Amino acid sequence: MQLQLLFWMCLLTVYSIIATAVTQSIEFPEWDWGDELTTAIGVAIGVLLVFRNRSAYDRWWEARTLWGKLINDSRNLAVKTAAFAEIEPNDRQAFAELLIAFPHALRMHLRGQREPMPNVAALYPEFDEAQHRPAFISLQIFKLMNKWNRGNKLFTSIRILERHGNGLLDVCGACERIRNTPMVSSYLYITWCSVILYCLAAPWPMGVNFGWYALPIVLLSNGFLLAMEVVAETIEEPFGTEQDDLPLERYCSSIESFVRDTLA
Amino acid sequence: MQLQLLFWMCLLTVYSIIATAVTQSIEFPEWDWGDELTTAIGVAIGVLLVFRNRSAYDRWWEARTLWGKLINDSRNLAVKTAAFAEIEPNDRQAFAELLIAFPHALRMHLRGQREPMPNVAALYPEFDEAQHRPAFISLQIFKLMNKWNRGNKLFTSIRILERHGNGLLDVCGACERIRNTPMVSSYLYITWCSVILYCLAAPWPMGVNFGWYALPIVLLSNGFLLAMEVVAETIEEPFGTEQDDLPLERYCSSIESFVRDTLA
Amino acid sequence: MQLQLLFWMCLLTVYSIIATAVTQSIEFPEWDWGDELTTAIGVAIGVLLVFRNRSAYDRWWEARTLWGKLINDSRNLAVKTAAFAEIEPNDRQAFAELLIAFPHALRMHLRGQREPMPNVAALYPEFDEAQHRPAFISLQIFKLMNKWNRGNKLFTSIRILERHGNGLLDVCGACERIRNTPMVSSYLYITWCSVILYCLAAPWPMGVNFGWYALPIVLLSNGFLLAMEVVAETIEEPFGTEQDDLPLERYCSSIESFVRDTLA
Amino acid sequence: MQLQLLFWMCLLTVYSIIATAVTQSIEFPEWDWGDELTTAIGVAIGVLLVFRNRSAYDRWWEARTLWGKLINDSRNLAVKTAAFAEIEPNDRQAFAELLIAFPHALRMHLRGQREPMPNVAALYPEFDEAQHRPAFISLQIFKLMNKWNRGNKLFTSIRILERHGNGLLDVCGACERIRNTPMVSSYLYITWCSVILYCLAAPWPMGVNFGWYALPIVLLSNGFLLAMEVVAETIEEPFGTEQDDLPLERYCSSIESFVRDTLA
Amino acid sequence: MQLQLLFWMCLLTVYSIIATAVTQSIEFPEWDWGDELTTAIGVAIGVLLVFRNRSAYDRWWEARTLWGKLINDSRNLAVKTAAFAEIEPNDRQAFAELLIAFPHALRMHLRGQREPMPNVAALYPEFDEAQHRPAFISLQIFKLMNKWNRGNKLFTSIRILERHGNGLLDVCGACERIRNTPMVSSYLYITWCSVILYCLAAPWPMGVNFGWYALPIVLLSNGFLLAMEVVAETIEEPFGTEQDDLPLERYCSSIESFVRDTLA
């Protein structure tokens, strides 16, 4: 984000300096409505940017909450399996591997990556061909539950476990929704146009009326608008690997260590 | 949307040019409150448009979330049927067809279309006469579940499956709610009146006070207001086929390929 | 709503004309703070009206969502009874009548009406004396379910049906909450006072400073504020029969035709 | 609320009159930035007051929704007990008394009152010593359910009843949360300071620049700010007995008459 | 918080006095756009601070609601165990200790503390080595439930108890989410920069145009912005021990006394 912002700011600074220099060297008629322009368009853009940043932030926070739910459901599954299921160590081990693999698979799925996952592939050789890897893992989790249930190892507690099993696929679907649904393109378009037009127009009336004194103010207010816009864009895609994106690796390893502790 | 906006902008441009020309050729008394008019009405319209765009966007996002829920419930149903139900391939196939048909039926239902769906009609000849096709499919899904349950093929897991079956009809009802409930008509009326009045009034005081210099500003601020209004109107009906509407076809085929993968 | 607004606007127009005439005929000292008054109070009222319209709109939308839930729950009940309950045609018919009667009873209950409902009264003669008719219907629905359950006709699916039975009474209670809880009276009071004071005060300084030119602006901005206030008041009571109120009759007949189709 | 507001307004009026008189009798240098002060601080306070009133109103509405849930859960419990439980009249009577007593006990609990409740005490002599009376009643309700369940009088419907039993204690806990958690004290402090400072400062520049003409405007805008602040404070504690507080007595008697009708 | 604010205010006061003194002693050209600077940047910062304070307050309120849920679930677990479980006094005692220990363990977990908890350690010697103490307690609670369930002491009510058992771990996970997810760092950065730049820049134009009269206004508006920023920062981390943080100790002891009363 910082690099992108820096690049735009440099461009803008050069442009503003040139604009101010031109206004100082050529004799313009004095406009007494320069500030009206600034205020009117400024209010409009402010309204838009608040709206845009709020919906971007809401997406970001929803994504965070979804991964929080994934952590909760994984933990509950681990704890409840340890408490309610009287199963063989083998199954316990396989279940733990599946629980651990799910967030990793989801993370790669959301980022379009597909690294090998040897632990799961060792248990389920057909895993490597699975199209939708989180769904494959979720299916194996439910199959294990079904086996235990029919083997009467859960003693009326199948629904206690199953409830959290849903959570896995629900989180996956909701994360895909956030990743695949960009902000309404018309809003993006209007916001960008407004910010660009404002940044291009602002130096001229300010330069004509106030000369070089106006430069720092123009740069500051333009930088502010640009920063808001750039942050909104970064925040909107919370599953990337940029600075303010969610630390999915950390969540994955937090689930991993918890499940290993509880089920090992 | 773009065409509609373009059309309005052209009209507005011609009008503004004429208005400015008139103010320049005839001698008007100078009004020193032209900017007060602009500011006061501008703030009022800004307030209204934010309110309107937010509720329009909320509808759009709710519609998106509903289809996300439909995808989740369809996936969960497919995965859980594969894991928990010990059924014959025939039933499995029929169930898959029903799951795949539901989003297609809902999509057409929301758009007022009624294309033939041969796959379902092959299984259920009475399908073609069904009034409410999503409800018909949902009924068949529950009937299959009931058959399996009474045939003891689900082994205490009927409620595990049924829960997601609800989701189908719930999503259908909620989508109908969004489609059938327009924005409160009074707000629409007030918003349109304000935008139109503003666009009609703005060129006159600006023209009188600032002459031809004011034209680009008038056009920009009017275009901005119009764009906001037009976007809100498009967004409010998220089930259409315009640019920013939801890509229902894509969601349908995503469900289709997932269900085929899991249950085939 | 339109009539009420028209009436207020007429009063206001007459008042503004008189006020402007007085300011023109008598020599007032020129006030250079007329616009400050307008801006300061205008911002305050804008803030209040946004707050008020948003909470009014939220009530309206919540009411809409509740009736959407009622439609969903009625549909799910009908579909699931058709799928899961192996019952006699008599009971099926009675159940359908009860499901159909509930929204009608709720609609009348919310509007303080009490028309005879012969279909239900034919089945349950004591219906006519029932104090709370929606609760009576809900009780009969649960009694039917209990009878089927104890007669072993539901085969472990009692909770599948019962879940949607809750919805009926929940919607009823929530609708009563919206109907019986007016907006905090202090806010109503402050809003009305502000709008009235503004409308009364605005023509004077505008008239003194700008003369007859100010009249259209005064009328427009006052009309705008009044319209917002009047709309908020209409929207706040969404169960009436005014223009922007919810079309409860349409929802009732939508449920009716669906239930008849599914259970007949 | 009105008395409190009146008292503050009187104080403020006297102060403003004195301030204006002083500015008129002593020769102050004319300040041309009086309106900047007003606008800048006014905007800041407006922002704060909107934020404060919205969170106060949200608390109020949440409290209302909680009591609505209590009414719903009590009704559902009554209706479902009547429909599903085949119990003796004695138990039925005791259950009705407990359901009726719960909202009364909660109301007194929230207001720090402890009036005798003879009906419950007649059934459970140890009630008078109970520390937390709503919890005591809730415990007895669950004990009755358990007795019926083990006596096989509920026939698989224990969870149907129990679900609404949760609601009672959940509502109690949530109401205590609202009552025991004041608004973040820093916000209260900043809001009060801002309003007071504004009210103290406003008469001086207005008096210096505009003389006695300014008095009504100063009084109006100060009264407006004070009213907003005072309303927010009243609304924030929704369980009291002031004008805009919730009519808990009415809710209690509504539950009472419903339960008596249904279970008698 | 107060200390931090005081420190910044002192720094700012000294700086503003110096700045004003400089503007008075040196002859600056008069700038007639000082107020434009103030207004434009002021509006931008106001927008940002509202956004920031609202999301900070939402976190705070969510944390409060989570602890409210913890109180509710603990109470429901205690009441329901007393009502539904026919267990030995020993188990009852152990269960009570676990329920009481959970909030204490969570409180310390959230604050990074690890005081000894002798009551739990007496029952479960391995407790002292547990990595994640709330999870350990939650596991023991579920193990007790499983033991009772398999010993047939719950009589079909396992899911009635288990439901609230989930709540414990869910609250824990959600609290960790709030604690571990700071506000998007870009917003923090932009907010701080804006506030600081405003505070540094404001005294100069005000001093040049209005002299020493401007000082109190500059100090007030700067203090206001700083206070908003500092409050937002405190509120954002609701689990600390500062003035406006949540009184976790009080919640813990409220749960403790309730559980002891009910299960002793």
Side-chain angles (χ1 to χ4, degrees):
Chain A
M1 182 216 123
Q2 269 102 344
L3 275 178
Q4 200 185 346
L5 189 53
L6 213 75
F7 169 74
W8 285 101
M9 276 310 294
C10 289
L11 262 187
L12 213 68
T13 310
V14 173
Y15 173 79
S16 300
I17 290 172
I18 295 173
T20 311
V22 170
T23 59
Q24 292 311 92
S25 54
I26 305 175
E27 193 70 40
F28 279 87
E30 184 140 339
W31 303 335
D32 60 344
W33 43 275
D35 53 325
E36 252 136 76
L37 168 78
T38 313
T39 313
I41 306 201
V43 164
I45 298 180
V47 160
L48 255 182
L49 279 179
V50 171
F51 176 64
R52 175 134 165 59
N53 272 281
R54 180 157 311 211
S55 64
Y57 179 74
D58 283 352
R59 285 164 70 103
W60 185 85
W61 187 246
E62 192 190 352
R64 179 64 188 93
T65 307
L66 285 168
W67 275 82
K69 180 172 153 58
L70 182 60
I71 295 175
N72 274 7
D73 279 327
S74 301
R75 282 185 184 174
N76 265 315
L77 264 179
V79 163
K80 287 186 171 170
T81 303
F84 289 108
E86 303 198 334
I87 49 177
E88 291 148 38
N90 255 10
D91 275 14
R92 209 176 155 106
Q93 191 55 37
F95 193 74
E97 287 302 339
L98 288 169
L99 272 187
I100 290 166
F102 189 85
H104 286 290
L106 178 56
R107 170 173 59 81
M108 293 186 231
H109 182 68
L110 290 173
R111 290 185 177 159
Q113 302 165 340
R114 204 182 161 91
E115 291 163 25
M117 302 180 66
N119 284 3
V120 185
L123 290 162
Y124 302 95
E126 68 271 35
F127 177 69
D128 282 335
E129 288 129 46
Q131 272 286 305
H132 195 293
R133 303 209 299 188
F136 180 90
I137 296 175
S138 157
L139 177 61
Q140 303 313 321
I141 287 177
F142 283 128
K143 276 191 175 159
L144 274 181
M145 282 188 198
N146 185 46
K147 181 179 142 197
W148 300 340
N149 189 28
R150 296 198 180 228
N152 213 9
K153 286 170 177 158
L154 296 181
F155 194 76
T156 76
S157 61
I158 170 67
R159 294 214 55 220
I160 294 176
L161 290 178
E162 171 263 343
R163 219 162 65 156
H164 301 289
N166 287 327
L168 304 185
L169 222 43
D170 283 348
V171 168
C172 173
C175 285
E176 290 179 35
R177 165 166 57 81
I178 290 178
R179 194 200 52 186
N180 292 337
T181 316
M183 179 70 182
V184 176
S185 65
S186 309
Y187 287 124
L188 296 190
Y189 191 72
I190 298 180
T191 320
W192 258 118
C193 282
S194 308
V195 172
I196 292 296
L197 279 174
Y198 184 84
C199 290
L200 291 183
W204 299 93
M206 299 294 272
V208 168
N209 290 358
F210 311 121
W212 290 103
Y213 283 116
L215 198 57
I217 300 165
V218 165
L219 288 181
L220 274 175
S221 62
N222 286 1
F224 179 81
L225 287 179
L226 267 179
M228 292 291 282
E229 171 65 26
V230 169
V231 171
E233 257 166 58
T234 318
I235 295 298
E236 234 161 31
E237 302 296 340
F239 300 123
T241 52
E242 283 178 271
Q243 185 200 351
D244 276 321
D245 288 332
L246 295 174
L248 301 188
E249 280 85 3
R250 187 147 61 76
Y251 306 153
C252 289
S253 63
S254 144
I255 292 176
E256 183 160 352
S257 71
F258 188 99
V259 171
R260 287 219 194 281
D261 270 24
T262 311
L263 285 178
Chain B
M1 182 214 122
Q2 268 103 346
L3 275 178
Q4 201 184 344
L5 189 53
L6 214 74
F7 169 75
W8 285 101
M9 276 311 295
C10 288
L11 263 187
L12 212 67
T13 311
V14 172
Y15 173 80
S16 300
I17 290 173
I18 295 173
T20 312
V22 170
T23 58
Q24 293 310 91
S25 53
I26 306 176
E27 193 70 39
F28 278 88
E30 185 139 338
W31 304 336
D32 61 343
W33 44 275
D35 53 326
E36 252 137 76
L37 168 77
T38 312
T39 314
I41 306 201
V43 164
I45 298 179
V47 160
L48 255 183
L49 279 179
V50 171
F51 176 64
R52 175 134 164 59
N53 271 281
R54 180 157 309 210
S55 63
Y57 179 74
D58 284 352
R59 286 164 70 104
W60 185 84
W61 187 246
E62 191 190 353
R64 179 64 189 91
T65 307
L66 285 169
W67 275 82
K69 180 173 154 54
L70 182 60
I71 295 176
N72 274 7
D73 279 326
S74 302
R75 281 184 185 175
N76 266 315
L77 263 180
V79 164
K80 287 185 172 172
T81 303
F84 289 108
E86 302 197 335
I87 49 177
E88 291 147 39
N90 256 10
D91 275 13
R92 207 175 156 106
Q93 190 56 37
F95 193 74
E97 287 302 339
L98 289 169
L99 272 187
I100 290 166
F102 189 86
H104 286 291
L106 178 55
R107 170 173 59 81
M108 293 186 230
H109 182 67
L110 290 173
R111 290 186 177 158
Q113 303 164 342
R114 204 183 162 90
E115 291 161 27
M117 301 179 66
N119 284 4
V120 186
L123 289 161
Y124 302 95
E126 68 270 35
F127 176 68
D128 283 335
E129 287 129 48
Q131 270 287 304
H132 194 293
R133 303 208 300 187
F136 181 90
I137 295 174
S138 158
L139 177 60
Q140 303 313 321
I141 288 176
F142 283 128
K143 275 191 175 160
L144 274 181
M145 282 188 197
N146 185 46
K147 181 179 143 197
W148 301 340
N149 189 28
R150 296 198 179 228
N152 214 9
K153 286 169 177 156
L154 297 181
F155 194 75
T156 76
S157 61
I158 171 68
R159 293 214 56 220
I160 293 176
L161 291 179
E162 171 265 341
R163 218 162 66 157
H164 301 289
N166 287 328
L168 305 185
L169 222 43
D170 283 348
V171 167
C172 173
C175 285
E176 291 178 36
R177 166 166 56 81
I178 290 178
R179 194 199 51 183
N180 292 337
T181 315
M183 179 69 181
V184 176
S185 65
S186 309
Y187 286 124
L188 297 189
Y189 191 72
I190 298 180
T191 320
W192 257 119
C193 282
S194 309
V195 171
I196 292 296
L197 279 173
Y198 185 84
C199 289
L200 291 183
W204 298 93
M206 298 296 270
V208 168
N209 290 358
F210 312 120
W212 289 104
Y213 283 115
L215 199 56
I217 300 164
V218 165
L219 288 180
L220 275 176
S221 62
N222 286 1
F224 179 80
L225 287 178
L226 267 178
M228 292 291 283
E229 171 65 26
V230 169
V231 171
E233 258 167 56
T234 317
I235 295 299
E236 234 161 31
E237 302 296 342
F239 300 124
T241 51
E242 283 178 90
Q243 185 201 349
D244 276 320
D245 288 332
L246 295 174
L248 301 188
E249 281 85 3
R250 187 147 61 75
Y251 306 153
C252 288
S253 63
S254 144
I255 292 177
E256 183 160 352
S257 71
F258 188 98
V259 170
R260 287 218 195 282
D261 270 23
T262 312
L263 285 178
Chain C
M1 182 215 121
Q2 270 102 345
L3 274 177
Q4 200 184 345
L5 189 54
L6 213 73
F7 169 75
W8 285 100
M9 277 310 295
C10 289
L11 262 187
L12 212 68
T13 311
V14 173
Y15 173 79
S16 301
I17 289 172
I18 295 173
T20 312
V22 170
T23 59
Q24 293 311 92
S25 54
I26 306 176
E27 192 71 37
F28 278 88
E30 184 139 338
W31 304 335
D32 59 345
W33 43 276
D35 54 325
E36 254 137 76
L37 168 78
T38 312
T39 313
I41 306 200
V43 164
I45 298 180
V47 160
L48 255 182
L49 279 178
V50 171
F51 176 64
R52 174 137 164 58
N53 271 281
R54 180 157 311 210
S55 64
Y57 179 73
D58 283 352
R59 286 164 70 104
W60 185 84
W61 187 246
E62 192 191 351
R64 179 64 189 92
T65 308
L66 285 168
W67 274 82
K69 181 172 152 56
L70 182 60
I71 294 176
N72 274 7
D73 279 326
S74 301
R75 281 184 184 174
N76 265 315
L77 263 179
V79 164
K80 287 184 171 172
T81 302
F84 289 108
E86 302 197 336
I87 48 176
E88 291 148 38
N90 256 11
D91 275 14
R92 207 176 156 107
Q93 190 56 37
F95 194 74
E97 287 302 340
L98 288 169
L99 272 187
I100 290 166
F102 189 85
H104 287 290
L106 178 55
R107 170 174 59 80
M108 294 187 231
H109 183 67
L110 290 173
R111 290 184 177 159
Q113 302 164 341
R114 205 183 160 89
E115 291 161 28
M117 300 178 66
N119 284 4
V120 185
L123 290 162
Y124 302 94
E126 68 272 34
F127 176 69
D128 283 335
E129 287 130 46
Q131 271 287 306
H132 195 292
R133 302 208 299 188
F136 180 91
I137 296 174
S138 158
L139 177 60
Q140 303 313 321
I141 287 176
F142 283 128
K143 276 191 175 160
L144 274 181
M145 282 187 199
N146 185 45
K147 182 179 143 197
W148 302 340
N149 190 29
R150 296 197 179 228
N152 214 8
K153 286 169 176 157
L154 296 181
F155 194 76
T156 77
S157 61
I158 170 68
R159 293 214 57 220
I160 294 176
L161 290 179
E162 170 264 342
R163 218 161 68 155
H164 300 289
N166 287 328
L168 304 186
L169 222 43
D170 284 348
V171 167
C172 173
C175 286
E176 289 178 36
R177 166 165 58 80
I178 290 177
R179 195 199 51 184
N180 292 337
T181 316
M183 179 69 181
V184 176
S185 65
S186 309
Y187 287 125
L188 297 190
Y189 191 72
I190 298 181
T191 320
W192 258 118
C193 282
S194 309
V195 171
I196 292 295
L197 279 174
Y198 185 84
C199 290
L200 291 183
W204 298 93
M206 299 295 272
V208 168
N209 290 358
F210 311 121
W212 289 103
Y213 283 116
L215 198 57
I217 300 164
V218 165
L219 288 180
L220 275 175
S221 63
N222 286 1
F224 179 79
L225 287 179
L226 267 178
M228 292 291 281
E229 171 66 26
V230 169
V231 171
E233 257 166 57
T234 317
I235 295 298
E236 233 160 31
E237 302 295 341
F239 299 123
T241 51
E242 283 179 88
Q243 185 201 350
D244 275 321
D245 288 332
L246 295 173
L248 301 188
E249 280 84 3
R250 187 147 62 74
Y251 305 152
C252 289
S253 62
S254 143
I255 292 176
E256 182 160 353
S257 72
F258 188 98
V259 171
R260 287 218 194 283
D261 270 22
T262 312
L263 285 178
Chain D
M1 182 215 122
Q2 270 103 345
L3 274 178
Q4 200 186 345
L5 189 53
L6 213 75
F7 169 74
W8 285 100
M9 277 310 295
C10 288
L11 262 186
L12 213 68
T13 311
V14 173
Y15 173 80
S16 300
I17 290 173
I18 294 173
T20 312
V22 170
T23 59
Q24 292 312 93
S25 52
I26 305 175
E27 194 71 40
F28 278 88
E30 184 139 340
W31 303 336
D32 59 344
W33 43 275
D35 53 326
E36 253 136 76
L37 168 78
T38 313
T39 312
I41 305 200
V43 164
I45 298 180
V47 160
L48 255 182
L49 279 178
V50 171
F51 177 62
R52 175 136 163 58
N53 271 281
R54 180 156 312 208
S55 63
Y57 179 75
D58 284 351
R59 287 163 69 104
W60 185 84
W61 187 247
E62 192 190 352
R64 179 64 189 92
T65 306
L66 285 168
W67 275 81
K69 180 172 152 55
L70 182 59
I71 294 177
N72 274 8
D73 278 328
S74 301
R75 280 185 186 174
N76 266 314
L77 263 179
V79 164
K80 287 185 171 172
T81 303
F84 289 108
E86 302 197 335
I87 48 177
E88 291 148 37
N90 256 11
D91 275 12
R92 208 176 156 107
Q93 190 56 37
F95 193 74
E97 286 303 339
L98 288 169
L99 272 187
I100 290 167
F102 188 86
H104 286 290
L106 178 55
R107 169 173 60 81
M108 293 187 231
H109 182 68
L110 290 173
R111 290 186 177 158
Q113 302 164 342
R114 205 182 160 90
E115 290 162 28
M117 301 180 65
N119 284 4
V120 186
L123 290 162
Y124 303 93
E126 68 272 35
F127 177 68
D128 283 336
E129 287 130 47
Q131 271 286 307
H132 195 292
R133 302 208 299 188
F136 180 90
I137 295 175
S138 157
L139 177 60
Q140 304 312 322
I141 286 176
F142 283 128
K143 276 191 175 159
L144 273 182
M145 281 187 197
N146 185 46
K147 182 179 144 197
W148 301 339
N149 190 28
R150 296 197 179 228
N152 214 8
K153 285 169 178 156
L154 297 181
F155 194 77
T156 76
S157 61
I158 171 67
R159 294 214 57 221
I160 294 176
L161 289 179
E162 172 265 342
R163 218 161 68 155
H164 300 289
N166 287 327
L168 304 185
L169 221 44
D170 283 347
V171 167
C172 173
C175 285
E176 289 179 36
R177 165 167 57 81
I178 290 178
R179 195 201 49 184
N180 292 337
T181 316
M183 180 68 182
V184 175
S185 64
S186 309
Y187 287 124
L188 297 189
Y189 190 73
I190 298 180
T191 321
W192 258 117
C193 283
S194 308
V195 171
I196 291 296
L197 279 174
Y198 185 84
C199 289
L200 291 183
W204 298 93
M206 299 295 272
V208 168
N209 290 357
F210 312 122
W212 289 103
Y213 283 117
L215 199 57
I217 300 163
V218 165
L219 288 180
L220 274 176
S221 63
N222 286 1
F224 179 79
L225 287 179
L226 267 179
M228 291 292 282
E229 171 66 25
V230 168
V231 171
E233 257 166 58
T234 316
I235 295 300
E236 233 160 32
E237 302 296 340
F239 300 123
T241 51
E242 284 179 88
Q243 186 200 349
D244 275 320
D245 287 333
L246 295 173
L248 302 187
E249 280 85 2
R250 188 147 61 74
Y251 306 152
C252 288
S253 62
S254 144
I255 292 176
E256 183 160 352
S257 72
F258 188 98
V259 171
R260 287 218 194 284
D261 270 22
T262 312
L263 285 178
Chain E
M1 180 215 124
Q2 270 104 343
L3 274 178
Q4 200 186 346
L5 189 53
L6 213 74
F7 170 74
W8 285 101
M9 277 311 294
C10 288
L11 263 187
L12 213 68
T13 310
V14 173
Y15 172 80
S16 300
I17 289 172
I18 295 173
T20 312
V22 171
T23 59
Q24 292 312 93
S25 53
I26 306 175
E27 194 70 41
F28 279 88
E30 183 138 341
W31 304 335
D32 59 343
W33 43 275
D35 53 325
E36 253 136 75
L37 167 78
T38 312
T39 313
I41 306 200
V43 165
I45 299 179
V47 160
L48 256 183
L49 280 178
V50 171
F51 177 63
R52 175 135 163 59
N53 272 282
R54 180 157 312 209
S55 64
Y57 179 75
D58 283 352
R59 285 164 70 103
W60 185 85
W61 187 247
E62 192 190 351
R64 179 65 189 92
T65 306
L66 285 169
W67 275 82
K69 180 172 153 57
L70 182 60
I71 295 176
N72 274 7
D73 279 327
S74 301
R75 281 185 185 173
N76 266 314
L77 263 180
V79 163
K80 287 185 171 171
T81 303
F84 289 107
E86 302 197 335
I87 49 177
E88 291 148 38
N90 255 10
D91 274 14
R92 208 177 156 106
Q93 190 57 36
F95 193 74
E97 286 302 339
L98 288 170
L99 272 187
I100 290 167
F102 189 85
H104 286 290
L106 179 56
R107 171 173 59 80
M108 293 186 231
H109 182 68
L110 289 173
R111 290 184 178 159
Q113 302 165 341
R114 204 182 161 92
E115 290 162 26
M117 301 179 66
N119 284 3
V120 186
L123 290 162
Y124 302 94
E126 67 272 35
F127 176 69
D128 282 335
E129 288 129 47
Q131 272 285 306
H132 195 293
R133 302 210 299 188
F136 180 89
I137 296 175
S138 158
L139 177 60
Q140 304 314 321
I141 287 177
F142 283 127
K143 277 191 174 158
L144 274 181
M145 281 188 198
N146 185 45
K147 182 180 142 196
W148 300 341
N149 189 29
R150 296 195 180 229
N152 213 7
K153 285 170 177 156
L154 296 181
F155 194 78
T156 77
S157 60
I158 171 67
R159 293 213 58 221
I160 294 177
L161 289 179
E162 171 265 343
R163 218 161 68 154
H164 300 288
N166 287 327
L168 304 185
L169 222 43
D170 284 347
V171 168
C172 173
C175 285
E176 290 179 35
R177 165 166 57 81
I178 291 178
R179 194 200 51 184
N180 292 337
T181 315
M183 180 69 181
V184 176
S185 64
S186 310
Y187 287 125
L188 296 190
Y189 190 72
I190 298 181
T191 320
W192 258 117
C193 282
S194 308
V195 171
I196 292 296
L197 279 173
Y198 185 84
C199 289
L200 291 183
W204 298 94
M206 300 295 272
V208 168
N209 290 357
F210 311 122
W212 289 104
Y213 283 116
L215 198 58
I217 300 164
V218 165
L219 288 180
L220 274 176
S221 62
N222 286 1
F224 179 80
L225 287 179
L226 266 180
M228 292 291 282
E229 171 65 26
V230 169
V231 171
E233 257 165 58
T234 317
I235 295 299
E236 233 160 32
E237 302 296 340
F239 300 124
T241 51
E242 283 178 89
Q243 186 200 348
D244 275 321
D245 288 332
L246 295 173
L248 302 188
E249 280 84 4
R250 188 147 61 74
Y251 306 153
C252 288
S253 62
S254 144
I255 292 176
E256 183 161 352
S257 71
F258 188 97
V259 171
R260 287 218 195 283
D261 270 24
T262 311
L263 285 178

